[in-house]
Amino acid sequence: MITVRAGTCTDVAGIARVHVGSWRTTYGGLIPADFLANLSYKQRESQWSRILCGEGSQEFVYVAADDTGQIVGFASGGPERSGHPLYKGELYCIYLLESCQRQGSGQQLFKAIVTNLVSEGFDSMLLWVLSANLGSGRFYEAMGGHATVTQDFELGGVTLQETGYGWLNLSN
């Protein structure tokens, strides 16, 4: 059984492990292999330490933990970062270890982020998905999102495309 709870400073190493591991299994063949090979647990720990242990971060994090307390997934969200006129909140990411995907944990994490956004006064939400990651796109469509915009970005020296999915009314 998976439990979803708010992330804490003590979760940094577990979140970093899931972050790197899920990128390597999810994005293999979609983004440059050398970029994936060079992902650093230490760098991700530093990133998540700033978010979870620092002062003043507006980002919130939820973790999915198994029966032993091992973190198997996480999600983060907060204010929309690009200044989009329609969307006020943003789901920054959801990542699960490959062995824990398609078992309902992603839905639980998604709902935790939406609940937190609504409680913080955000009535709409945007998120970005690598356009080539069709499974994620289908997941967000099943959760009620609509593909609204695409944009190019650079990663590892390669131009990729991402799709923005939006929810105009999170209260439904």
Side-chain angles (χ1 to χ4, degrees):
M1 181 164 152
I2 300 295
T3 302
V4 172
R5 61 172 175 76
T8 68
C9 192
T10 61
D11 296 321
V12 166
I15 291 170
R17 181 182 54 78
V18 170
H19 199 164
V20 171
S22 64
W23 267 61
R24 288 181 175 157
T25 58
T26 301
Y27 298 129
L30 302 177
I31 63 175
D34 58 333
F35 183 88
L36 292 174
N38 289 316
L39 289 175
S40 161
Y41 292 106
K42 184 175 182 176
Q43 180 185 26
R44 295 298 178 190
E45 285 180 11
S46 177
Q47 170 192 349
W48 291 107
S49 182
R50 281 191 307 276
I51 293 165
L52 287 168
C53 307
E55 297 281 327
S57 175
Q58 292 185 301
E59 186 168 349
F60 47 87
V61 179
Y62 287 88
V63 297
D66 67 13
D67 291 337
T68 69
Q70 182 90 9
I71 294 174
V72 298
F74 71 95
S76 72
E80 197 277 326
R81 298 173 284 189
S82 72
H84 195 286
L86 294 178
Y87 302 103
K88 303 306 178 196
E90 185 174 347
L91 172 65
Y92 301 146
C93 66
I94 293 180
Y95 292 114
L96 288 160
L97 294 176
E98 186 175 42
S99 62
C100 297
Q101 294 174 5
R102 294 173 188 79
Q103 298 175 21
S105 299
Q107 291 177 4
Q108 289 179 277
L109 288 165
F110 178 90
K111 289 174 183 176
I113 294 295
V114 168
T115 298
N116 197 316
L117 285 170
V118 170
S119 75
E120 297 279 331
F122 298 105
D123 59 355
S124 58
M125 178 178 80
L126 182 69
L127 65 87
W128 293 97
V129 174
L130 184 63
S131 297
N133 187 354
L134 301 176
S136 288
R138 285 191 296 271
F139 171 79
Y140 292 119
E141 288 169 1
M143 299 304 290
H146 299 281
T148 61
V149 64
T150 60
Q151 66 183 17
D152 291 340
F153 70 102
E154 187 176 319
L155 184 72
V158 174
T159 300
L160 301 168
Q161 184 182 73
E162 60 186 352
T163 301
Y165 286 82
W167 289 258
L168 288 172
N169 187 352
L170 291 178
S171 299
N172 290 340

